[in-house]
Amino acid sequence: MIEKTLVLVKPDGVVRGLIGEIIRRFEVAGLKIVGMKMNHITPDFAKKHYFAHTEKDFYPELEKRITSGPVIAMILEGIKAIEVVRKIVGLTDSSKSGPGTIRGDFGHVNLGYKGTKNLVHASGNLDEAKKEVELWFKKEELFGYKTLYEKHIEED
Ligand code: IDP
Ligand code: MG
């Protein structure tokens, strides 16, 4: 099933100069970028995005971090994109995330921040993905096109 999912390079990823590296990992895995922009979100918007977490004890820290600077927001599309992207991102806690994952490879220097600075956000499931794609992107900000891989498959 072809799915769309939201990925954010969080402010800690942006200031560390990891935007390119993070995007590369999704691109080389064959995920298609169908929307992308830079945004500096407000506390109000953060509450919409993280509505499931606003009552948690770590929420103030999470809001402070996600609004501390611009994020790169992108919509990735592909077969089982939600699950595949989560696998590439790794576990929430960078210290438990395996090598080869974005958080496992780059998250360790941030461990002093109680796990909040884990570089990337990715939609957790289909329901979340649908809500997040709609929250972050207007219809006209999403683009349909065929990658070379898709064209090649069609020709086979
Ligand atoms: P996820 O980003 O892996 O889906 P969620 O449980 O949805 O993880 O939590 C959203 C974000 O909140 C995490 O990415 C992380 O930045 C932060 N967070 C989650 N749990 C904790 C915690 O126990 N301490 C500090 N920050 C946390
Ligand atoms: Mg989540």
Side-chain angles (χ1 to χ4, degrees), residues 72-118:
I72 299 294
M74 64 195 121
I75 305 299
L76 300 179
E77 188 182 277
I79 297 165
K80 290 193 172 185
I82 299 164
E83 189 185 324
V84 170
V85 163
R86 291 289 295 200
K87 211 162 75 177
I88 293 167
V89 167
L91 303 175
T92 307
D93 183 344
S94 298
S95 68
K96 296 194 173 74
S97 205
T101 66
I102 294 169
R103 287 169 173 168
D105 287 347
F106 305 112
H108 299 300
V109 302
N110 288 332
L111 293 178
Y113 292 91
K114 303 170 204 157
T116 304
K117 289 172 81 173
N118 56 3

Side-chain angles (χ1 to χ4, degrees), residues 9 12-24 102 106-107 110 119:
V9 181
D12 55 307
V14 174
V15 297
R16 283 183 57 195
L18 288 172
I19 296 171
E21 173 64 28
I22 289 169
I23 294 173
R24 187 190 70 84
I102 294 169
F106 305 112
N110 288 332
L119 302 163

Side-chain angles (χ1 to χ4, degrees), residues 10 50 53 58 62 86 92 103 114-116 118 120-122:
K10 293 182 180 182
Y50 280 131
H53 297 304
F58 60 82
L62 179 58
R86 291 289 295 200
T92 307
R103 287 169 173 168
K114 303 170 204 157
T116 304
N118 56 3
V120 210
H121 166 83

